[in-house]
Amino acid sequence: MKKPTLIGVRIDNETRSRADLRKSGVHRYAQDPDFRILIISYAPIVRLPDGSAVTGKPRVLGQDGPNRKKFERIITDPRFEKHAFNAEFERVTLSAWLGMDTGEYIDPENWHCSAIRANANGVFGSLAEVGRALKSPIQKDPEGAALIKLFSVPDRKTGVFNEPEDYAPQFEKFEAYCNRDVATEHAIAALLPGIPEDVQRQYEADQRINDRGILHDRVLSEQAVAQVTTEQGRLMDVLRRLTNVDNPNSVQQMRGWLDTQGWPMTSLAKDARAAAIADPDVPPIVAKALDLKGRASLSSVSKHKAALNTRCTDGRIRGSLQFHGAHTGREAGRGIQPQNLPRAEASSADRALLRSGRAGRRAPEIAKGSVRASLIPASGHRFVVFDYNAIEARVLGWLANELWVMEEFTTGEGKIYEANAEKMFGANKADLLASLRACGKCGTCEACELRSKAKVSNLALGYYGGAGALVAMGAESSGIDCGNYIELNLMWVLAGSPGKFHEWKPELHDYPELLRLRDLYRASSPATVSFWKQMAAMWDTAALQGKATAFGPENRATMMRDGRHNRLVLPSGRSIWYRDATAAYGGGKRPRVETRMYTGKSKGVGHTRVHAYGGSLTENITQAVARDVMFDLIMRVEEKTKAGWPGRIVLHVHDELVLEVPDKHTGLVMADLGTMMQQAPDWAPGLPLKGEGQVMERYGK
């Protein structure tokens, strides 16, 4: 009779380090001189003779003996499964435990992350949050926080770590807590469907890219922090003298001063300050104080600080990408958060001033424009940076079968904004392009203004957007007359955002140009408008009737019911889960669905009920397909790199790929990537794709 066969382990580590894990990331955390793994708990996973798999009771690994050697072999052998919640932490810390050098880590093949499994099934958060959301029969032990404080961080007063042997009873509880985490992870995994095999391979590729990291210019970031701090001190002194406020950083004190000036403010956030400064009735002293407060903010160096915090001893920043961080499957950011890097770009002359300590009062401005440039290729290398051209417009046009969009991207010149100007405003595209070439896109002529309106409309309105979406996408800075929308919206926010904005004091709403653009876009893109309605109808069919419905050209996607949840099956085969999805009818003689909701991630801790509508569902599927297109490319590039191709991915941001390439091979990589980016995935026949790239000495836009 066959015996049970060991196929893997579930793991949880408890560690200590002087580095702050939230600020440093696990790669830097595990490099701290005082880093140490205190406890390794594991549970064996065995295959029974009938083919089923079971997980054994968690146990603590001893410091030596045969079990340790066997455990070391399991975690480094890709034939065995390794499971953990936030598996990157276990994998990287165990790499340090094995004595591997900086930049060398256990390969992520066959490492499975139950946090990613939860995210892929529409459940987000920490182990405790996910356990609560799923009503797991085994929950995380709440006493663990005190034990982590006792053993994992140095004593706040003495700076010394508490040793396990000095607190034996508490450490015994810590071991039980670690075992409980393994059992909780197993219980959570058992409540969720697994992730598709191709998504698991993508996760493994993501981990290799995170391990590879990107080189960082330490001097540039250190000088940025130092000089901006000096300038902030000067500005705060000026603000203190202007207002007689002891601590201008105190929101309470500043609000009190504003009250005395007859200009009360409930918020001092960036948007509120900007709105107040722009108000023609604002007292000059208030406008000056708010301007000083904004300029004294250290936000211009927050990314530089994050870079310095996450920088490993070999100069590379690691762990900046969070796989499946968004509901759609897109990456999120950690550390420097590359998805949110400032678009501002300082000149090389200004960077030289900053680097040499001579930026002076311009330090905040130059520092903000130097964040991207602080990411550099290795010596003898350059960056090859490629991004997909108008990827969301291409995907949306393909999904909705918007014929004029598809024509522009297949047989036209791919000038979607100029084509949109032709559709919305009746412009002659050829004449518009000629005018733009003649003026060099000066930004002020009639042709540039027309293109700008078309661009903002294209970016803002494709997901059922209206006046608010246009404003959020930069309508005002693009020269579009916003009427009283901005001021009225601020009044609505200050009133507590009662109900829907467009229904609030309707007699005051006056922004006809925004509404005109909205209506022109919808009239010129009928297939897209129809797609919004179709997405909503498919949701309703699944939620109310429990039926699965394929939709779109060639039935490219399906909305189906899975228990209490709606599941949107994408063209790639991957799914977006909408947990506890509902649809509710409103009143009236002809009842129609007015409310669609699901349980999603809240902005803070835990989960909340989220509204869905045709536009948001269209945005979801468009961004999800664009993400799948990007990962199809990433997997092809990684295969080429593994086979000896000279380019290697060190960063990717939504539709952009950053490769570190030896100087002599940049031409080859540019040519190869240009060809590869035009190749649609097998599951997306007819999707027109195009990439644009450049060679860079430093990262930039």
Side-chain angles (χ1 to χ4, degrees), residues 431-507:
D431 291 345
L432 179 58
L433 286 168
S435 297
L436 292 168
R437 285 193 293 268
C439 76
K441 292 186 179 178
C442 65
T444 58
C445 69
E446 184 178 347
C448 286
E449 289 181 3
L450 190 62
R451 181 184 186 274
S452 182
K453 284 186 177 182
K455 178 179 179 178
V456 171
S457 299
N458 185 269
L459 295 173
L461 302 176
Y463 303 133
Y464 208 178
L470 286 164
V471 172
M473 198 57 70
E476 186 178 39
S477 61
S478 298
I480 297 172
D481 182 1
C482 296
N484 71 344
Y485 182 94
I486 296 172
E487 295 80 6
L488 196 63
N489 188 262
L490 179 60
M491 290 171 57
W492 175 69
V493 171
L494 293 176
S497 303
K500 296 178 180 179
F501 170 67
H502 69 273
E503 295 175 351
W504 179 75
K505 297 187 176 182
E507 71 281 1

Side-chain angles (χ1 to χ4, degrees), residues 138-272:
I138 304 176
Q139 297 281 337
K140 188 176 177 72
D141 186 349
E143 294 184 10
L147 295 168
I148 289 171
K149 185 177 180 180
L150 179 64
F151 292 109
S152 296
V153 297
D155 184 272
R156 197 176 350 180
K157 294 181 180 178
T158 66
V160 176
F161 285 101
N162 294 317
E163 298 297 337
E165 53 268 26
D166 296 332
Y167 295 86
Q170 292 91 332
F171 195 73
E172 187 175 337
K173 290 183 179 179
F174 204 21
E175 291 181 328
Y177 164 77
C178 193
N179 284 339
R180 172 88 167 258
D181 271 2
V182 174
T184 303
E185 184 272 335
H186 172 51
I188 284 171
L191 292 170
L192 295 167
I195 62 175
E197 186 62 27
D198 59 337
V199 177
Q200 170 63 24
R201 299 283 84 80
Q202 291 168 6
Y203 166 71
E204 294 169 3
D206 165 89
Q207 292 293 281
R208 293 187 185 99
I209 294 168
N210 268 321
D211 289 349
R212 198 174 289 154
I214 190 168
L215 195 63
H216 171 241
D217 185 337
R218 176 181 57 82
V219 174
L220 186 62
S221 287
E222 286 180 342
Q223 285 287 3
V225 173
Q227 292 174 73
V228 171
T229 302
T230 299
E231 175 61 7
Q232 184 204 32
R234 185 191 72 81
L235 290 168
M236 293 301 282
D237 285 341
V238 175
L239 184 57
R240 200 173 287 114
R241 291 194 298 271
L242 179 70
T243 62
N244 289 320
V245 169
D246 290 335
N247 179 17
N249 278 325
S250 166
V251 173
Q252 184 177 1
Q253 289 185 34
M254 280 300 295
R255 286 179 59 190
W257 177 81
L258 288 164
D259 287 344
T260 68
Q261 302 301 308
W263 196 266
M265 293 179 65
T266 57
S267 170
L268 294 180
K270 180 180 178 180
D271 289 346

Side-chain angles (χ1 to χ4, degrees), residues 614-633:
S616 67
L617 296 171
T618 299
E619 182 177 24
N620 285 174
I621 190 172
T622 301
Q623 292 185 349
V625 171
R627 175 262 182 218
D628 290 347
V629 168
M630 187 63 167
F631 262 97
D632 178 82
L633 175 66

Side-chain angles (χ1 to χ4, degrees), residues 9-15 21 26 29-30 35 37 39-42 71 75 82-98 105-106 111-115 127 178 181-182 185 203 207:
V9 289
R10 297 188 184 275
I11 311 169
D12 186 71
N13 299 339
E14 298 300 337
T15 61
L21 181 62
V26 64
Y29 174 91
F35 169 79
I37 289 186
I39 306 167
I40 300 172
S41 176
Y42 71 100
F71 182 79
I75 62 174
K82 279 76 64 174
H83 295 259
F85 194 91
N86 289 327
E88 183 180 51
F89 180 84
E90 270 66 33
R91 186 178 59 81
V92 172
T93 55
L94 286 170
S95 299
W97 178 70
L98 290 173
Y105 305 96
I106 299 169
W111 279 77
H112 302 262
C113 181
S114 46
L127 182 64
C178 193
D181 271 2
V182 174
E185 184 272 335
Y203 166 71
Q207 292 293 281

Side-chain angles (χ1 to χ4, degrees), residues 376-579:
I376 56 177
S379 177
H381 293 67
R382 283 185 283 178
F383 287 145
V384 169
V385 181
F386 259 86
D387 66 337
Y388 278 111
N389 171 267
I391 182 64
E392 287 194 28
R394 292 170 182 268
V395 169
L396 178 55
W398 177 74
L399 286 169
N401 198 28
E402 192 68 73
L403 296 180
W404 71 267
V405 174
M406 293 297 289
E407 181 180 349
E408 183 62 29
F409 284 132
T410 52
T411 61
E413 299 169 275
K415 301 291 186 180
I416 189 62
Y417 305 139
E418 290 79 2
N420 198 33
E422 186 173 58
K423 292 294 292 184
M424 286 181 64
F425 310 123
N428 182 287
K429 191 181 76 170
D431 291 345
L432 179 58
L433 286 168
S435 297
L436 292 168
R437 285 193 293 268
C439 76
K441 292 186 179 178
C442 65
T444 58
C445 69
E446 184 178 347
C448 286
E449 289 181 3
L450 190 62
R451 181 184 186 274
S452 182
K453 284 186 177 182
K455 178 179 179 178
V456 171
S457 299
N458 185 269
L459 295 173
L461 302 176
Y463 303 133
Y464 208 178
L470 286 164
V471 172
M473 198 57 70
E476 186 178 39
S477 61
S478 298
I480 297 172
D481 182 1
C482 296
N484 71 344
Y485 182 94
I486 296 172
E487 295 80 6
L488 196 63
N489 188 262
L490 179 60
M491 290 171 57
W492 175 69
V493 171
L494 293 176
S497 303
K500 296 178 180 179
F501 170 67
H502 69 273
E503 295 175 351
W504 179 75
K505 297 187 176 182
E507 71 281 1
L508 298 181
H509 290 248
D510 184 21
Y511 35 87
E513 179 63 5
L514 297 177
L515 299 179
R516 185 180 79 92
L517 294 179
R518 178 200 67 187
D519 294 342
L520 283 173
Y521 178 86
R522 293 180 182 180
S524 65
S525 301
T528 302
V529 173
S530 176
F531 191 68
W532 303 336
K533 297 175 181 177
Q534 197 174 18
M535 290 295 297
M538 298 306 104
W539 174 284
D540 299 343
T541 300
L544 296 172
Q545 302 177 32
K547 294 181 180 179
T549 311
F551 60 97
E554 302 173 11
N555 294 330
R556 287 175 178 152
T558 302
M559 184 75 79
M560 61 186 300
R561 193 69 175 172
D562 203 314
R564 304 191 317 274
H565 320 301
N566 276 8
R567 181 156 64 92
L568 175 58
V569 184
L570 302 165
S572 66
R574 189 172 66 87
S575 294
I576 301 176
W577 286 75
Y578 298 92
R579 302 191 68 82

